[in-house]
Amino acid sequence: MSRYFLDIAYNGTAYHGWQIQENAHTVQAELEKCLSTLLRTRIEIMGSGRTDTGVHATHQIAHFDMEGHLPDDLVYKLNSFLPRDISIQSVRKVHDEAHTRFDATQRSYQYFMHQAKSPFLEKLSYYHPKVVDVPLMNEAAKKLLGEQNFESFSKVKTEVNTFICTIKEARWEKQNDSLVFHVTANRFLRGMVRALVGTLLDVGLGKLTVTDFVNIIESQDRRKAGRAVPAHGLYLTSVVYPDSVYRD
Amino acid sequence: MSRYFLDIAYNGTAYHGWQIQENAHTVQAELEKCLSTLLRTRIEIMGSGRTDTGVHATHQIAHFDMEGHLPDDLVYKLNSFLPRDISIQSVRKVHDEAHTRFDATQRSYQYFMHQAKSPFLEKLSYYHPKVVDVPLMNEAAKKLLGEQNFESFSKVKTEVNTFICTIKEARWEKQNDSLVFHVTANRFLRGMVRALVGTLLDVGLGKLTVTDFVNIIESQDRRKAGRAVPAHGLYLTSVVYPDSVYRD
């Protein structure tokens, strides 16, 4: 039995998120169906983490196990067989016990907003025409760095052992008419990026000061943070593993 | 009565093209409906030319006439009112007899193809994974330049006085994983850009030589040219007018 990592991109528009659920069209279900058909055996995959309904990924990682050899042209065959909104970038053999979820050391997301109406970005970026103060949003974003309790930005109904995460990167970047929030952490809580972006926008709109923002972090109270921005601007862009997972 | 030019962008995916037709969802119909409601009078618009079902525009130009003053914030109001797949970039007062179709001196299109499967480009670019010889396609494209009869690249059922067009630009450009065909002419025949791209692809795939391509142009016979590529890679990107249209 050998284990493999798949590097997957998907447009989340048509899916009820990543994770398999009864009677729902999910990316994981679509991938398991195609892999099982192509490899002629029941394949289950394990993703690095869930993404919510409508959230996209440019590099989601998932593992699966398979007896014997993989066909050489598996990536090509999968891409021919999978719907147009899911693509496979690579399949890579890994250590037998490598685990996409437990071994990930960091994850990155990007949140895209466009400020001028664009007919071509409808489900790919959040249209937010109001003027925001980007330097101030970056000043607030810096307060997120480091190991902190982020319960204020977590969905209320979530069962986790700890709300502590280490954020390594949190910054806004202007790209033509778009504004992109880059965030990297060892782990994320459910709904965290969308709540962070919504609260940072409140700073950019002048509804909150940077001090208010720090107080919200410290309050550990979800009711204090801003609204979650829509899912369709969010992309999972990278999951990082230690080199040891690629060793046999 | 004053005349105005609208600069319009639209995602053609959901539309049966630009031009108003009975019982069809078209960009022109949508715009006339919104303008008439906002300006509280029946407004008709005239576009610089039709675009087919599924074809996009980043800068389509249309004119309309209106008594009295336009509201200052008409662009803002139109963008709030129009569906997300149509946007207005500007409204500009022009000469009373300026005509978007008859006064246009040149039009430009771009055709987008992507060679690696992308979940984010489904209706915005033509997925064409086969390897093509871009320098050879550019060599053939050069043969299009100048004033020539392009009947070979026109839809068969079309009523025009002449098949003669002057092509000023025809070149392929590599943009990351995409391949973009840029073409500019004084006028285009129906289906012309898609037939040109399909035939140039045959050159890039080695099915036709550059000499074959020249022979196809000279044959003035549509049956000789390649198939039309799909509409969803095509964008109307610019329409140019003499400065005199902007003078009162």
Side-chain angles (χ1 to χ4, degrees):
Chain A
M1 204 68 135
S2 297
R3 181 160 286 188
Y4 300 90
F5 274 15
L6 286 171
D7 182 357
I8 307 151
Y10 52 86
N11 182 328
T13 308
Y15 296 93
H16 287 272
W18 165 264
Q19 182 136 318
I20 284 190
Q21 303 152 57
E22 285 284 331
N23 302 319
H25 185 222
T26 71
V27 180
Q28 185 185 6
E30 194 65 54
L31 280 164
E32 290 191 355
K33 190 181 73 181
C34 287
L35 274 166
S36 299
T37 305
L38 282 174
L39 300 177
R40 295 161 193 257
T41 179
R42 174 91 192 92
I43 300 284
E44 291 182 5
I45 64 174
M46 163 64 68
S48 69
R50 304 174 189 189
T51 55
D52 288 340
T53 299
V55 172
H56 314 293
T58 58
H59 293 284
Q60 165 73 289
I61 311 293
H63 72 245
F64 69 94
D65 294 324
M66 165 80 185
E67 291 276 13
H69 280 291
L70 285 192
D72 283 340
D73 52 358
L74 182 64
V75 170
Y76 174 83
K77 281 186 177 155
L78 276 169
N79 281 328
S80 307
F81 206 65
L82 283 163
R84 284 172 178 243
D85 51 13
I86 303 178
S87 72
I88 303 297
Q89 286 148 155
S90 68
V91 181
R92 191 165 174 184
K93 193 173 180 314
V94 293
H95 189 280
D96 288 357
E97 287 171 15
H99 195 289
T100 48
R101 186 164 153 220
F102 302 135
D103 290 342
T105 55
Q106 71 180 44
R107 295 162 167 91
S108 297
Y109 285 89
Q110 291 177 12
Y111 193 87
F112 281 79
M113 300 190 341
H114 56 290
Q115 303 190 281
K117 191 176 178 187
S118 166
F120 307 107
L121 295 174
E122 187 172 348
K123 292 291 183 187
L124 300 176
S125 171
Y126 173 40
Y127 175 44
H128 186 276
K130 289 184 192 152
V131 176
V132 291
D133 183 332
V134 180
L136 203 64
M137 279 156 63
N138 265 325
E139 198 186 318
K142 281 201 189 115
K143 306 297 183 186
L144 295 168
L145 298 175
E147 185 182 282
Q148 298 184 69
N149 180 311
F150 289 101
E151 186 165 355
S152 302
F153 303 97
S154 172
K155 278 205 175 152
V156 177
K157 287 187 187 170
T158 184
E159 286 178 25
V160 288
N161 296 322
T162 169
F163 293 99
I164 292 178
C165 310
T166 305
I167 296 189
K168 297 167 188 179
E169 175 193 35
R171 64 183 171 89
W172 290 88
E173 183 198 8
K174 197 116 176 92
Q175 284 183 0
N176 305 319
D177 283 334
S178 289
L179 210 51
V180 188
F181 181 59
H182 300 260
V183 60
T184 298
N186 64 329
R187 64 193 282 268
F188 287 91
L189 307 169
R190 284 209 66 196
M192 180 167 155
V193 182
R194 289 162 60 193
L196 286 175
V197 171
T199 314
L200 287 168
L201 279 180
D202 283 345
V203 174
L205 292 165
K207 294 184 195 170
L208 295 174
T209 65
V210 175
T211 307
D212 293 335
F213 187 75
V214 172
N215 289 338
I216 288 167
I217 303 175
E218 288 173 357
S219 73
Q220 302 179 17
D221 181 352
R222 178 64 183 91
R223 290 164 302 176
K224 297 276 200 301
R227 77 195 168 93
V229 286
H232 66 266
L234 186 59
Y235 293 72
L236 171 61
T237 55
S238 161
V239 189
V240 174
Y241 297 93
D243 282 345
S244 58
V245 305
Y246 303 110
R247 272 183 233 125
D248 256 330
Chain B
M1 202 71 133
S2 296
R3 182 159 285 187
Y4 300 90
F5 273 16
L6 286 171
D7 181 357
I8 307 151
Y10 51 87
N11 181 328
T13 308
Y15 295 93
H16 287 273
W18 166 263
Q19 181 137 319
I20 285 190
Q21 303 151 57
E22 285 284 331
N23 302 317
H25 185 222
T26 70
V27 180
Q28 185 185 4
E30 193 66 52
L31 280 164
E32 290 191 355
K33 190 181 73 182
C34 287
L35 273 167
S36 299
T37 305
L38 282 173
L39 299 177
R40 296 160 191 258
T41 179
R42 175 91 191 93
I43 300 284
E44 289 182 7
I45 64 174
M46 165 62 71
S48 70
R50 304 175 188 190
T51 55
D52 288 339
T53 299
V55 172
H56 314 294
T58 59
H59 293 284
Q60 165 73 289
I61 311 294
H63 72 246
F64 68 95
D65 293 324
M66 165 81 186
E67 291 275 15
H69 278 292
L70 285 191
D72 282 341
D73 52 356
L74 181 64
V75 171
Y76 174 82
K77 280 186 176 155
L78 276 170
N79 282 327
S80 306
F81 207 63
L82 285 164
R84 284 172 179 245
D85 49 13
I86 303 179
S87 72
I88 303 298
Q89 287 149 156
S90 68
V91 181
R92 192 166 173 185
K93 190 170 181 315
V94 292
H95 189 280
D96 288 357
E97 286 170 16
H99 195 289
T100 48
R101 187 164 152 219
F102 302 135
D103 290 342
T105 54
Q106 72 179 42
R107 295 162 165 92
S108 297
Y109 285 90
Q110 291 178 11
Y111 194 87
F112 281 79
M113 300 190 341
H114 56 291
Q115 303 189 281
K117 190 177 179 187
S118 165
F120 307 107
L121 295 174
E122 188 171 348
K123 292 292 182 186
L124 300 176
S125 170
Y126 173 39
Y127 175 44
H128 187 276
K130 288 184 193 154
V131 177
V132 290
D133 184 332
V134 180
L136 204 62
M137 280 155 62
N138 265 325
E139 199 187 319
K142 281 199 190 119
K143 306 297 183 186
L144 296 168
L145 298 175
E147 184 182 282
Q148 298 185 69
N149 181 311
F150 289 101
E151 186 165 356
S152 302
F153 303 98
S154 173
K155 280 207 175 152
V156 177
K157 287 188 189 168
T158 186
E159 286 177 26
V160 287
N161 296 322
T162 168
F163 294 100
I164 292 179
C165 310
T166 305
I167 296 188
K168 298 167 187 179
E169 177 193 35
R171 65 184 171 87
W172 290 89
E173 183 199 9
K174 195 114 178 92
Q175 284 185 0
N176 304 318
D177 283 334
S178 288
L179 210 51
V180 188
F181 180 60
H182 300 260
V183 62
T184 297
N186 64 329
R187 64 194 282 268
F188 287 92
L189 306 169
R190 284 209 66 195
M192 179 167 155
V193 182
R194 291 162 60 193
L196 286 175
V197 171
T199 314
L200 287 168
L201 279 180
D202 283 346
V203 174
L205 291 164
K207 294 184 195 171
L208 295 174
T209 65
V210 174
T211 307
D212 294 335
F213 186 75
V214 171
N215 290 338
I216 288 168
I217 302 175
E218 290 173 356
S219 73
Q220 302 180 15
D221 181 351
R222 178 65 184 90
R223 290 164 302 177
K224 296 275 198 302
R227 75 197 169 93
V229 286
H232 66 265
L234 186 59
Y235 294 72
L236 171 61
T237 56
S238 163
V239 189
V240 174
Y241 297 94
D243 283 345
S244 58
V245 306
Y246 303 112
R247 271 182 234 128
D248 256 328

